[in-house]
Amino acid sequence: MTVQSAMATLGPSRRWRNWGRTVEARPAAVASPASPDEVAAVIRTARERGLPVKAVGAGHSFTAIAATDGVQLDISAIDGVLAVDGTRVRLGAGTNLYQLPALLAPHGLALANMGDIDRQTIAGATATGTHGTGLRFGGLATQIRAATLVTASGDLLRVSESENAELLPAVRIGLGALGILVDVTIECVPAYLLHAVERGERLDAVLDEWLDRVEAADHFEFYAFPHADGVSTKTNTRLPADAERHPAHPVSNWIEEVLVQSGVIAAMCQVSRVVPDVLPPLHRLATTLQGNRDFTDASPAVFTSPRYTRFREMEYALPVEAVPDALRAVKRMIAERDLRIGYPIEVRAAAADDIWLSTAHGRRTGYIAVHHYFRQDPTRYFREVEAIMRSFDGRPHWGKMHVRDAGSLAAAYPRFADFLAVRDRLDPERVFRNDYLTRVLGV
Ligand SMILES: Cc1cc2nc3c(=O)[nH]c(=O)nc-3n(C[C@H](O)[C@H](O)[C@H](O)COP(=O)(O)OP(=O)(O)OC[C@H]3O[C@@H](n4cnc5c(N)ncnc54)[C@H](O)[C@@H]3O)c2cc1C
């Protein structure tokens, strides 16, 4: 593709908003390349015009990490399975996670672990360190075995365990700062089922047993209600693909996912804007009404569920042992400051890994995520929670709201300077810059 035709592919400016409605941008131009060559041509054109370039995935980051006033690259046309070699699957970088069950089924494969939704693209999810739960399982980026980028010079760069291998720990979680990913090779696992057990329990008991429970289970997580002592625990156990399935009853699924997780919480948030004192009794009621469920289904159906209500989110990664004290501190703070918080607090865990900017770098990790209804201002709540998380040596999720900058993040990541050196090498002119990257990485 020539530069002229690449210029022709730069579509007109249009308003862009992220899912959480925390970020709005008006890119100077939008391009929808369908091949690595077209990506390269757009990058060269943008550079000639002095415009930065930013790929956007599904816009599910709450931070401004995907925002640009330059050229926005929509790579959704670069998707699907490009090659399969045993359990290794090369995917177009714009593949959405919800496409994967159908794409991987013919090969009898699945992702080793997933977060709680499947809307993201594989490039966007891995670039920000998206994770699920399970102390024996790393985040999605730990499954990356190779990737192809188009660099700032417009060249194709292959990174794998045998090609430019020294770049792999940076490229796996690259924050969109190192180049445009056009494909990603993921280590999948044979397809499996999950037996899910959901229970209503007491917070103190769950926190007292936290370490034992995350160590014993394949995938353990819980949701704590800010104004009640109850928690909803989820324990998923891996089973072979030919085990007997007992999918959740559609009515119980609707009650849990639509009515409780989205409808009731949204209603609570709406009502509490007018009558703030309604939340504590409603949370106590919700913990009493909570149903216990057991079901067995294919892993993506158990890991993920739809989100019908918009919210804002901040999530911090802590040493896994720190979770009970940190969560108790958050609950104490909410009571002392007399805050009214509708959304439950989500608590998960992940294995340690060696990716330079992974929130789980070098330590077994517990995650505490706080949410706030999108029509309410989360500033005070998130600021107070962030102060607590920092006192426990917390690292913020790159795609979720936080106020940290390069100065404080450098101290949280032992290989931060190595990542910056790779950025200097691959993008010395900062073609892939935006305000968020300048804040969290420095110039
Ligand atoms: C409802 C909801 C639930 C969520 N649940 C979880 C969860 O369970 N666990 C978790 O960890 N996170 C979760 N997240 C956060 C989410 O997974 C991440 O923020 C992720 O980045 C979103 O992927 P995306 O495709 O929307 O990427 P975007 O937000 O569009 O982009 C993210 C970054 O990736 C870059 N990027 C995208 N494509 C490319 C490319 N081709 N090449 C280079 N860079 C690229 C962008 O430039 C940007 O820097 C959730 C978010 C929401 C809104």
Side-chain angles (χ1 to χ4, degrees):
M1 167 178 266
T2 62
V3 169
Q4 282 72 21
S5 58
M7 287 173 77
T9 65
L10 293 192
S13 166
R14 67 174 180 222
R15 186 174 74 137
W16 173 84
R17 292 190 296 176
N18 67 343
W19 183 88
R21 302 292 187 259
T22 48
V23 183
E24 204 173 303
R26 187 170 278 282
V30 177
S32 306
S35 68
D37 283 348
E38 289 185 20
V39 172
V42 172
I43 290 175
R44 290 195 192 100
T45 305
R47 282 187 65 179
E48 280 171 10
R49 295 188 187 179
L51 291 171
V53 178
K54 183 81 9 217
V56 68
H60 272 53
S61 295
F62 295 92
T63 57
I65 192 167
T68 186
D69 54 6
V71 177
Q72 184 184 68
L73 274 188
D74 168 3
I75 52 141
S76 53
I78 305 179
D79 72 339
V81 171
L82 307 177
V84 179
D85 178 9
T87 49
R88 292 192 176 186
V89 181
R90 191 164 169 172
L91 294 166
T95 308
N96 291 93
L97 302 187
Y98 62 76
Q99 295 176 263
L100 290 180
L103 291 173
L104 298 181
H107 309 283
L109 297 173
L111 291 179
N113 198 6
M114 296 182 79
D116 53 25
I117 61 159
D118 61 7
R119 300 293 97 184
Q120 309 96 316
T121 57
I122 192 74
T126 51
T128 54
T130 296
H131 62 90
T133 193
L135 211 41
R136 292 190 287 277
F137 299 88
L140 211 45
T142 63
Q143 307 305 314
I144 294 182
R145 295 292 172 267
T148 310
L149 298 100
V150 183
T151 63
S153 55
D155 296 317
L156 275 189
L157 176 69
R158 182 86 184 140
V159 178
S160 71
E161 287 149 329
S162 55
E163 302 147 284
N164 302 301
E166 76 285 2
L167 300 177
L168 200 52
V171 166
R172 278 178 166 151
I173 297 183
L175 312 186
L178 306 179
I180 304 300
L181 291 162
V182 286
D183 67 57
V184 176
T185 300
I186 298 284
E187 183 79 61
C188 294
V189 298
Y192 56 99
L193 306 187
L194 287 171
H195 175 220
V197 176
E198 298 179 358
R199 294 283 180 269
E201 302 188 51
R202 313 309 309 168
L203 176 65
D204 270 333
V206 172
L207 289 182
D208 288 347
E209 298 167 354
W210 160 248
L211 212 47
D212 292 339
R213 291 185 69 171
V214 279
E215 280 174 349
D218 287 331
H219 307 277
F220 177 72
E221 66 187 306
F222 68 88
Y223 291 84
F225 285 91
H227 301 291
D229 295 330
V231 298
S232 170
T233 62
K234 296 183 182 230
T235 310
N236 295 333
T237 304
R238 298 163 85 94
L239 299 174
D242 58 2
E244 206 171 320
R245 279 182 200 216
H246 300 281
H249 191 280
V251 173
S252 92
N253 232 14
W254 186 84
I255 290 174
E256 175 60 26
E257 291 179 357
V258 181
L259 191 69
V260 177
Q261 284 195 15
S262 292
V264 169
I265 289 173
M268 285 198 290
C269 295
Q270 290 275 23
V271 172
S272 72
R273 295 169 74 195
V274 189
V275 194
D277 285 343
V278 83
L279 276 177
L282 278 181
H283 276 188
R284 285 193 292 274
L285 184 69
T287 57
T288 341
L289 290 179
Q290 218 160 47
N292 292 339
R293 295 200 301 166
D294 287 49
F295 55 97
T296 303
D297 210 341
S299 56
V302 177
F303 280 136
T304 68
S305 49
R307 294 289 180 270
Y308 297 102
T309 310
R310 278 180 218 285
F311 51 80
R312 274 87 188 261
E313 182 173 349
M314 181 173 72
E315 183 173 51
Y316 258 79
L318 314 172
V320 69
E321 300 79 11
V323 163
D325 285 349
L327 188 60
R328 286 188 170 109
V330 171
K331 292 259 306 185
R332 244 188 341 266
M333 178 278 293
I334 291 171
E336 283 167 11
R337 303 280 188 277
D338 203 22
L339 302 182
R340 292 290 180 262
I341 309 300
Y343 271 86
I345 303 166
E346 187 178 13
V347 182
R348 297 184 277 184
D353 65 54
D354 57 4
I355 301 172
W356 292 347
L357 292 191
S358 168
T359 51
H361 180 90
R363 65 189 194 195
R364 295 197 309 169
T365 293
Y367 290 94
I368 295 183
V370 290
H371 307 69
H372 216 38
Y373 184 49
F374 85 115
R375 291 193 195 284
Q376 286 170 317
D377 180 3
T379 310
R380 184 164 176 228
Y381 178 38
F382 285 8
R383 188 181 60 224
E384 299 277 2
V385 172
E386 192 156 30
I388 293 169
M389 296 302 145
R390 290 187 69 161
S391 73
F392 287 94
D393 198 14
R395 297 168 176 158
H397 189 301
W398 296 105
K400 301 188 184 181
M401 294 168 76
H402 69 94
V403 298
R404 304 280 291 272
D405 61 16
S408 82
L409 290 165
Y413 287 93
R415 305 301 297 269
F416 198 78
D418 296 308
F419 185 89
L420 297 187
V422 169
R423 186 184 187 213
D424 284 343
R425 176 176 150 192
L426 296 183
D427 186 16
E429 292 170 23
R430 306 293 189 250
V431 172
F432 304 114
R433 68 184 177 274
N434 67 7
D435 290 347
Y436 178 82
L437 290 184
T438 304
R439 190 185 103 209
V440 299
L441 297 178
V443 183

